[in-house]
Amino acid sequence: MAAAAAVALVAGCMQRVDVTPVTLNANGGTAAGVARPAGMPMPEHLSVARTVPADLDRKLGFFVSLHEDCTVVPGLDIRILTSPTHGTARLQGEKDYPSFPAGNPRASCNKATAPGQQLWYQPAPGFIGTDVVLLQIYWPTGPAQTLTYTITVQGGGVPPTPATK
């Protein structure tokens, strides 16, 4: 099924991966997105599904706000409202490749890394199952938005190192 792709919604100069729900590949990669139609209001709440391997730290998302010339729009603020119960989530400022859809004036920004915020998730050792992270995103030129990540942790990751005696 083609549902294993991400949909990128674009509002003004903001880019993010917003999907309801999809599964991305285990390394956080995304497929080409589809732009949100002009005039469509930005949703207040979005849900994203991710599948990750057990026992491995994984990037779940990248958030960036850019002008058409690929310079950063300052003021992006992301907060973890609800931490996962079966692992840890963290936000870190990093450079990464944006994924604006073809046809977006910022699509050329996809060729180079840009500073933004990455969301990372580390399942608890040995945990297999479902976990949830709730974010609040304050876009520099738009309204606040909540984003729920539902994370399915599956076996097949690197087993934890046994404790030494």
Side-chain angles (χ1 to χ4, degrees):
M1 184 170 152
V7 178
L9 299 178
V10 180
C13 59
M14 298 167 283
Q15 182 271 336
R16 62 206 175 271
V17 176
D18 293 336
V19 291
T20 310
V22 299
T23 301
L24 297 185
N25 58 33
N27 67 4
T30 62
V34 176
R36 179 175 55 87
M40 181 178 170
M42 183 185 307
E44 291 180 21
H45 184 94
L46 296 164
S47 297
V48 177
R50 295 285 192 271
T51 299
V52 301
D55 301 314
L56 295 176
D57 196 22
R58 286 292 187 210
K59 180 177 67 172
L60 298 180
F62 176 63
F63 305 88
V64 64
S65 184
L66 301 174
H67 292 287
E68 287 185 22
D69 66 359
C70 302
T71 58
V72 173
V73 177
L76 176 63
D77 183 18
I78 303 172
R79 299 174 190 177
I80 297 174
L81 295 181
T82 304
S83 296
T85 56
H86 303 289
T88 57
R90 73 182 186 283
L91 292 163
Q92 64 186 47
E94 291 287 336
K95 285 189 169 189
D96 206 339
Y97 288 92
S99 58
F100 291 101
N104 183 288
R106 292 161 188 82
S108 64
C109 302
N110 298 345
K111 298 175 186 174
T113 59
Q117 291 287 314
Q118 295 176 340
L119 173 65
W120 286 80
Y121 172 77
Q122 171 74 53
F127 174 73
I128 303 290
T130 302
D131 214 347
V132 176
V133 176
L134 180 65
L135 300 179
Q136 181 77 50
I137 305 169
Y138 299 93
W139 296 103
T141 59
Q145 187 175 49
T146 57
L147 185 58
T148 301
Y149 277 85
T150 301
I151 308 153
T152 302
V153 180
Q154 296 180 340
V158 176
T161 305
T164 56
K165 294 183 180 182

